[in-house]
Amino acid sequence: MDLLRLELIGGPGRVETAVGSPAWERGVLGVDVSALAVEGVDHTVVQVLFDDDAPAFDRDLLDAPLVAELRRPSGEVAVRDLFDHDRFRQALRADQESGGDELRGVLVLTGGELPPPYVRLAFLPVDIGGTDGTTLAVVRTDLPELVMAVDDALEREEIDETEHRALLTSIEQRHPA
């Protein structure tokens, strides 16, 4: 289910959801889209802010599988990435601080602190300029659907075996069964 859709203009931006809109009703306060180089590769960062204090807020949104998708005007998905969540960020930080390298992900700290639990981040491997004319969709999904999408991409030869394993590892690390 799409939590929200937003037309992108190929540059950074911030949007607050309108009171009473479907996204607002689902507890989405806003979205921030920005650029960031991760290990020398340009990424478009999608930050979703939830209203976790709202009485009707679905608290599962704080750690449920969410995917950021960039869709072309035809509706075809150009690129997608799984959002992080607080439990994963805490585990990633502990792994990195202990000198480990088991967990894969981008750890963003502000003033040495992790983002609050009501913020979810996705890192789309595309330069922000390449987002012009695309639609950003924030999609709530489940583990079987995620795995099936990765398997289907392998079958359609959109990804190779190495990418397939990496994606399945990423899913498992963020959302252990």
Side-chain angles (χ1 to χ4, degrees):
M1 164 180 54
D2 288 1
L3 293 177
L4 68 87
R5 282 184 297 247
L6 178 66
E7 301 301 317
L8 298 182
I9 59 170
R14 177 175 295 160
V15 176
E16 293 180 16
T17 55
V19 173
S21 70
W24 185 84
E25 294 290 337
R26 293 181 183 109
V28 180
L29 289 177
V31 177
D32 184 85
V33 178
S34 60
L36 179 71
V38 179
E39 296 179 356
V41 177
D42 290 331
H43 283 72
T44 297
V45 181
V46 179
Q47 176 178 293
V48 176
L49 177 66
F50 289 108
D51 183 4
D52 63 339
D53 290 330
F57 179 69
D58 178 359
R59 298 201 65 78
D60 288 342
L61 287 173
L62 295 177
D63 61 7
L66 296 180
V67 177
E69 294 182 346
L70 283 185
R71 298 176 183 165
R72 294 187 173 103
S74 66
E76 174 190 15
V77 175
V79 64
R80 66 172 49 105
D81 188 49
L82 194 58
F83 278 90
D84 71 359
H85 55 82
D86 189 56
R87 280 184 300 136
F88 175 73
R89 290 189 291 249
Q90 302 254 5
L92 181 60
R93 185 177 198 177
D95 183 57
Q96 289 181 357
E97 287 178 349
S98 71
D101 65 354
E102 279 191 39
L103 297 181
R104 303 284 182 247
V106 178
L107 191 62
V108 175
L109 301 174
T110 303
E113 297 297 320
L114 292 170
Y118 54 84
V119 172
R120 305 268 315 253
L121 298 165
F123 299 85
L124 297 164
V126 62
D127 177 82
I128 198 163
T131 66
D132 188 28
T134 63
T135 299
L136 168 67
V138 176
V139 182
R140 184 177 185 164
T141 187
D142 60 27
L143 290 179
E145 191 173 320
L146 279 173
V147 171
M148 186 171 60
V150 171
D151 290 345
D152 289 348
L154 177 65
E155 188 175 306
R156 290 188 306 268
E157 298 181 351
E158 295 170 355
I159 59 174
D160 62 24
E161 286 287 340
T162 302
E163 292 167 310
H164 181 257
R165 280 191 304 277
L167 288 168
L168 292 178
T169 297
S170 179
I171 292 167
E172 173 62 29
Q173 288 181 351
R174 284 175 172 81
H175 302 285

